[in-house]
Amino acid sequence: MTSQLNVSIKGQGFPILCLHGHPGSSQCMSVFTDRLSQRYQTLAPDLRGYGSSRATKNFDMKDHLTDLEALLDKFQINQFSILGWSLGGILALELALRYPQRVTGLILIATAAKPRGNHPSIAWNDYLYTGLAGIINWSIPSWQWNIDTFGKRSLFRYLIQQHTATAYKYLASAAAPAYLQTSRFATNALNQALKAGYNRLADLSQIHCPCLVLAGKSDCHITSESSLETAHHLKNAQWQCYPNTAHLFPWEIPDQVGSDIDRWIDNLPLEK
């Protein structure tokens, strides 16, 4: 059974489906959609159990694909490209495998077909500092005192390497609300897939469309090595890894990432 997804649609032109990660929401994708929608139509849904797309019972990862197929059919979108961040990138790969004739290009952000992490162990004070940093940053976004006092000691240090005002602005405006709106059903669906040992590397040879694979060198949630492994298994992939960045690198260096995506996407055979 499909779920009616809340979706943010911007711009006009060839459609680009923009898929967020976990925890996440369509608002988290504004770092991409604000720029891409100047030339293309961007569709950024809240996946089932995230943002305003509520879930009331358990589901599995395949339900996300069913929801997205219904969304594309609703807007009569036959061909499209996909930009997916983290979990969104995994779903992008799944859609490309399911609908090879419809997906014209993939932009894979901090993701992998066989995701692996190397997150350090977490102590009680990590949670304390993260809670303080998050609450204060939500109230006073990008306050340098909070960044220096709590932010750099919190779990944010594993999500970003560059503790800039821009990164903390996104943490306040997008990450915090997304975290609060992510349902336990969405978390359960992701955990079940990871525990089952999700691995689609052997199937990536079936994807023929152009792919751009971007990673943060210090990403400990989905390592840059696992992203590179994915790029190597794709037939038509361009790989780029950004130094001194982590899992949320689009919020650390948004202008650089946006420019690199613009240059790559200009060479896609899009139907204008």
Side-chain angles (χ1 to χ4, degrees):
M1 184 176 179
T2 60
S3 175
Q4 187 78 14
L5 300 182
N6 177 66
V7 59
S8 172
I9 300 177
K10 302 176 184 177
Q12 296 181 337
F14 190 86
I16 301 177
L17 181 65
C18 299
L19 303 177
H20 65 76
H22 174 94
S25 70
S26 57
Q27 179 59 32
C28 293
M29 304 305 286
S30 65
V31 66
F32 304 108
T33 60
D34 285 349
R35 184 173 186 133
L36 289 172
S37 63
Q38 296 176 30
R39 296 189 295 162
Y40 307 101
Q41 182 187 62
T42 61
L43 298 93
D46 293 331
L47 298 171
R48 184 188 298 203
Y50 298 88
S52 297
S53 298
R54 307 316 303 160
T56 57
K57 60 182 180 179
N58 283 321
F59 61 89
D60 61 39
M61 296 297 291
K62 291 182 180 179
D63 290 319
H64 287 312
L65 302 178
T66 303
D67 294 341
L68 292 169
E69 179 184 10
L71 177 70
L72 293 164
D73 290 345
K74 175 183 177 181
F75 291 101
Q76 299 181 320
I77 295 173
N78 184 38
Q79 287 197 312
F80 56 97
S81 290
I82 314 174
L83 185 154
W85 189 355
S86 193
L87 167 62
I90 292 173
L91 296 177
L93 290 169
E94 291 291 337
L95 285 171
L97 288 167
R98 183 177 287 197
Y99 308 112
Q101 302 304 316
R102 299 179 69 180
V103 178
T104 63
L106 294 176
I107 303 170
L108 304 173
I109 310 287
T111 194
K114 182 182 177 182
R116 298 188 301 279
N118 59 2
H119 201 291
S121 59
I122 300 174
W124 68 268
N125 54 307
D126 289 324
Y127 292 110
L128 174 62
Y129 289 134
T130 303
L132 291 171
I135 292 170
I136 295 172
N137 189 58
W138 198 357
S139 301
I140 313 174
S142 305
W143 185 19
Q144 193 62 46
W145 180 88
N146 180 47
I147 293 174
D148 293 336
T149 305
F150 297 122
K152 293 179 180 179
R153 301 179 184 179
S154 74
L155 293 174
F156 294 161
R157 71 188 187 275
Y158 299 127
L159 292 167
I160 58 176
Q161 291 291 290
Q162 302 179 32
H163 293 263
T164 64
T166 297
Y168 275 80
K169 178 196 71 173
Y170 281 112
L171 286 171
S173 64
Y179 176 80
L180 295 174
Q181 289 182 302
T182 296
S183 71
R184 70 180 187 277
F185 304 113
T187 299
N188 290 340
L190 177 59
N191 287 340
Q192 287 175 5
L194 294 176
K195 288 179 181 178
Y198 181 84
N199 180 1
R200 290 286 253 164
L201 288 174
D203 303 309
L204 296 187
S205 60
Q206 300 173 35
I207 297 177
H208 299 278
C209 67
C211 304
L212 177 63
V213 185
L214 304 179
K217 181 62 178 177
S218 299
D219 191 337
C220 61
H221 291 269
I222 298 180
T223 65
S224 60
E225 290 80 9
S226 61
S227 293
L228 179 59
E229 183 180 42
T230 295
H232 283 162
H233 279 76
L234 290 164
K235 287 189 171 182
N236 185 6
Q238 178 180 323
W239 155 263
Q240 186 161 345
C241 187
Y242 300 99
N244 192 32
T245 63
H247 195 64
L248 303 183
F249 68 85
W251 290 347
E252 298 183 76
I253 49 171
D255 291 337
Q256 183 177 352
V257 172
S259 295
D260 290 339
I261 291 174
D262 284 344
R263 280 192 295 270
W264 180 83
I265 207 171
D266 280 341
N267 295 317
L268 280 183
L270 303 183
E271 293 184 1
K272 305 288 185 177

